[in-house]
Amino acid sequence: RSTLLASSAASDVYKRQMLKVMDDRRNKIRNDLDSAARSSAEAAKLKSDLEAELANAQVAAQGIVDKAVKEAKVQAQAQIDEAHAAIEREKVQAAKQIERERKDALEDLKTQMAALSCDIASKIISKNMTPDTNDRLIAESIARLDAGQAGK
């Protein structure tokens, strides 16, 4: 009976040791699973945070692109407007130049016509004309030319 008792006591010690090993193993597995769950949750949060940062960066980048495009359009329009204004200024200057040249040509024509008229008139009436009469005829011719041009 003491053998049985010793055997039973040894069996109890062995059972207790086995249960302790199993409990320790169960606790370790539980801790490992809890740690893995925490790590997984942290990784999911990190992933979510990074995705949000990426989305914000994409929005900011699109804003920068939109602003650059808008500024480029404004600058292009300003250049177009300046080109139009320069063309308009050149047109005005050309019109003024044409008008000056037209007036100069008319003055030259008047002078030539007066000289020609004088030459013709002097040939026709050279024997009967005095210098005073000649000056008066020239003045009248120029006045008639001026009156004819003013009417046009």
Side-chain angles (χ1 to χ4, degrees):
R1 179 173 210 226
S2 79
T3 323
L4 190 55
L5 204 46
S7 173
S8 174
S11 177
D12 283 342
V13 171
Y14 179 73
K15 282 183 188 177
R16 274 186 253 137
Q17 287 177 346
M18 278 305 267
L19 286 174
K20 183 174 181 335
V21 168
M22 290 176 102
D23 282 343
D24 290 346
R25 176 84 174 132
R26 184 178 317 122
N27 288 337
K28 172 137 178 41
I29 291 171
R30 187 177 303 128
N31 288 339
D32 288 348
L33 288 174
D34 289 346
S35 177
R38 281 191 303 274
S39 293
S40 177
E42 288 173 7
K45 181 172 181 348
L46 182 61
K47 178 184 176 193
S48 175
D49 291 347
L50 292 175
E51 286 174 345
E53 284 182 35
L54 178 61
N56 290 339
Q58 288 173 333
V59 168
Q62 186 61 46
I64 291 168
V65 168
D66 291 346
K67 182 180 176 183
V69 166
K70 183 178 178 181
E71 288 175 3
K73 285 180 181 180
V74 167
Q75 289 177 353
Q77 187 61 48
Q79 289 174 348
I80 290 169
D81 292 346
E82 178 56 33
H84 283 239
I87 290 169
E88 193 59 35
R89 286 190 301 270
E90 288 179 19
K91 280 180 173 180
V92 168
Q93 290 298 329
K96 287 178 181 178
Q97 177 76 23
I98 290 169
E99 183 60 24
R100 278 192 304 271
E101 289 178 10
R102 185 183 73 76
K103 286 180 180 179
D104 290 346
L106 284 174
E107 287 300 317
D108 287 345
L109 184 59
K110 285 180 194 178
T111 303
Q112 289 175 5
M113 296 270 305
L116 184 60
S117 295
C118 288
D119 285 344
I120 293 171
S122 69
K123 287 180 184 177
I124 295 173
I125 55 172
S126 63
K127 293 182 183 177
N128 298 330
M129 175 93 48
T130 65
D132 289 336
T133 306
N134 186 33
D135 289 342
R136 184 181 50 78
L137 287 174
I138 290 172
E140 288 175 1
S141 295
I142 290 173
R144 278 190 230 137
L145 282 174
D146 285 340
Q149 291 300 320
K152 288 186 179 179

